Amino acid sequence: MMQKISRRGLLKSAVIAGVAGTASTWWLQGTETPEETLDEMFNDALTDLPAASIGVALIKNGQMVWGKGFGYQNLENRVPATLDSIWPTLGSVSKLVTWIALMQLVEQNQVRLDDDVSDFLGFILRNPRFPDTAITPYHLLTHSSSLSTRRMTSAPDSMADFFCKQDSVDLKTWATTYLSPQGAQYNPELVFDPYRPGDFSQLTPDPIGVISGYSSLNTMVAACLIEQVSRLSFEDYTQQYIFSPLGLKDVGWQKADLDQRKIITPYEAKNSPRAPIMAVFTQQMKDRGYLSKTAVTADDHKTYFAFNACRYFSPLNAAALLGSSTNAFVTLMRACLPQDKTTPALLQRETLESMWQVQRHDPRTGSTLGLGWFQFKSPRYGAFWGHDGGGPGILSRVMIDPETGDGLVLLINNFFVDFRKRAALIDQMMKTLERF
């Protein structure tokens, strides 16, 4: 009788019991291959999370041992999702590319971690409450700069524009306008939080719960610095020194430059689990015309709204707006692993190891941060390094273990999912990876 119980039923039982994310609940040992286990797991997850599509891959000893797309690239046309389908944004997972680019310049001695970023930007960037304290690349990497995106972009209308508004202003112009004391839109009360840069003990708690001090402005300032040092646009720099050396095609910052036939339509499920306050963000997306008001139905009868008018391109690219296929980002993660001997290294081993040294731990959220990379640690699976991301039509997690060469990429088409079920899903992915 046990073999007739679906993984969906087992997962729901685990959540009710309060053990989602820690217990072995989604698969039963038996005659199934790991591939069959994963197929059933993710087909169930489309309904359970819910999600219009999922892109997922497992990495073992530096190599991708399994990966697949589930659901649809486009629900209206019933185009199946594949590993080559292009996600128009990966959310804050995009920040890893920015941090890799910055550390390339550090590695080349063009930038030092204790430099004053003002020396590169062309204007003075200082918290007016602490004018004697320089903001450094180290502060950017550890989210301790006192820059505050939550004040600038977390209101429902500004958050919608952050992801979806088509903005032709270049990064340097945006930074000068909003961050420079001489800028036309400069408002220090919005730009800065009230703590001294680098003072880990006084970092402002993050209302969204990522880590105290967390700010997308850190990556934007880093990208601006990269532009000034390299004399290339941030987009051109990352293409020339990150994407091209890896031979990546289905990745980039401008949606118009990507293969339009492969682009995934982002969706939001009509009846997704979420805190009541988050409904305000959904309404803003609709009111501003980014999110369709007409629902489309998936095979499991779940209904979704499409982000048909979300452009995912603006000066805020470096913070959250990288477009990529699952395959392309797996290659990027493998390039950071010493076990992969076939993919060109983007950074020296010593540089990567320095990024994976714990810099601080936030007791409020439980988050642990290195230089740009977050640590995901469990007693059973050890320490992985990576990043989470989220935004309109995307909930992402990427993580790798430099010691074993193992890792995963998980991209979900719908930000508002049951996070307990996602935690259980990630746990079962790691458990199934042991069977390869």
Side-chain angles (χ1 to χ4, degrees), residues 24 62 84 87 117 129 142 195 200 246 257 266 272 300 337 433:
S24 171
D84 292 320
W87 298 76
V117 299
R129 294 180 178 85
T142 56
Y195 69 86
F200 290 172
L246 298 179
D257 292 343
S272 289
D300 59 4
L337 289 168
L433 180 59

Side-chain angles (χ1 to χ4, degrees), residues 76-311:
E76 290 87 342
N77 300 325
R78 291 302 195 262
V79 178
T82 73
L83 290 176
D84 292 320
S85 297
I86 300 172
W87 298 76
T89 174
L90 299 182
S92 286
V93 164
S94 308
K95 290 180 171 68
L96 291 180
V97 176
T98 307
W99 300 137
I100 289 170
L102 176 59
M103 292 302 289
Q104 286 179 333
L105 299 182
V106 171
E107 194 172 82
Q108 297 160 15
N109 295 315
Q110 297 190 66
V111 177
R112 296 181 305 177
L113 290 180
D114 61 354
D115 280 339
D116 184 342
V117 299
S118 299
D119 294 341
F120 302 96
L121 299 179
F123 60 86
I124 302 299
L125 184 67
R126 294 287 175 92
N127 190 323
R129 294 180 178 85
F130 307 98
D132 60 331
T133 303
I135 294 173
T136 70
Y138 178 80
H139 296 149
L140 303 179
L141 285 155
T142 56
H143 291 281
S144 61
S145 66
S146 79
L147 292 166
S148 175
T149 15
R150 299 307 185 196
R151 295 187 182 197
M152 288 190 72
T153 63
S154 288
D157 54 348
S158 56
M159 180 64 82
D161 288 345
F162 179 99
F163 281 98
C164 295
K165 184 179 180 180
Q166 182 75 27
D167 195 336
S168 59
V169 174
D170 62 85
L171 176 60
K172 179 61 183 298
T173 300
W174 189 95
T176 303
T177 300
Y178 288 91
L179 303 182
S180 168
Q182 288 73 45
Q185 301 296 324
Y186 176 71
N187 182 343
E189 294 302 314
L190 295 180
V191 174
F192 296 101
D193 282 336
Y195 69 86
R196 186 181 297 277
D199 187 349
F200 290 172
S201 67
Q202 298 298 317
L203 300 179
T204 302
D206 180 29
I208 299 180
V210 178
I211 193 170
S212 56
Y214 187 78
S215 173
S216 287
L217 284 181
N218 289 315
T219 38
M220 295 179 67
V221 171
C224 198
L225 183 156
I226 290 163
E227 289 192 343
Q228 298 309 300
V229 173
S230 69
R231 303 302 178 189
L232 295 170
S233 71
F234 173 72
E235 292 79 14
D236 287 345
Y237 178 91
T238 52
Q239 181 63 48
Q240 185 170 336
Y241 292 103
I242 296 178
F243 305 144
S244 290
L246 298 179
L248 300 180
K249 302 297 183 183
D250 294 330
V251 64
W253 304 98
Q254 299 194 45
K255 186 176 177 181
D257 292 343
L258 300 171
D259 189 336
Q260 302 300 299
R261 298 167 300 175
K262 297 181 180 179
I263 292 180
I264 287 175
T265 300
Y267 293 96
E268 181 176 316
K270 183 177 181 180
N271 296 313
S272 289
R274 73 196 75 183
I277 186 61
M278 299 307 290
V280 178
F281 289 87
T282 298
Q283 192 59 49
Q284 274 293 332
M285 288 288 187
K286 289 183 178 179
D287 291 346
R288 299 174 86 79
Y290 300 133
L291 182 63
S292 172
K293 297 180 181 180
T294 303
V296 60
T297 304
D299 290 346
D300 59 4
H301 305 296
K302 296 275 186 179
T303 53
Y304 294 85
F305 298 104
F307 286 95
N308 288 325
C310 196
R311 303 305 176 196

